[in-house]
Amino acid sequence: MARSLVIKVTAGADAPERCNQAFTVAAAALASGVPVSLWLTGESSWFALPGRAKEFVLPHAAPLPDLLDAVLAAGRVTLCTQCAARRNITVDDVIEGVRIAGAPAFVEEAVADGAQALVY
């Protein structure tokens, strides 16, 4: 059975290095052929909205829009249901390809055979 990564990123502009690490690991895994599911939770929820990743800047790091585009193209990006609701983000607001799902879907992915869950 193939291994997969389920990556939950809880940080956004409030903890830029931790946030960027999650996106970098997700993109690197996909480039290596590893299936990836990236979960946007907490402050990273804002990156589900068009244009928000462009506002994120971290010196000596790959641009967040490029990393997000790579994950959207080859993996899955999910916005946490409760996180979206707390920020008044709806399915009509998010970038095409981003789904909104809750804890049961995260648990299902995280405990699947061959899955490795990482939280940033």
Side-chain angles (χ1 to χ4, degrees), residues 2-49:
R3 299 276 315 209
S4 64
L5 278 178
V6 181
I7 300 173
K8 180 185 274 195
V9 55
T10 63
D14 59 324
E17 288 184 292
R18 190 163 32 114
C19 174
N20 185 265
Q21 274 290 333
F23 281 86
T24 300
V25 168
L30 285 165
S32 299
V34 177
V36 171
S37 176
L38 180 67
W39 282 73
L40 305 176
T41 68
E43 285 303 298
S44 72
S45 300
W46 296 113
F47 299 127
L49 298 175

Side-chain angles (χ1 to χ4, degrees), residues 87-115:
R87 290 161 180 81
N88 295 314
I89 300 172
T90 70
V91 69
D92 295 327
D93 300 322
V94 299
I95 298 166
E96 184 176 339
V98 174
R99 71 176 182 149
I100 298 177
F106 176 79
V107 171
E108 181 180 347
E109 289 183 19
V111 300
D113 286 341

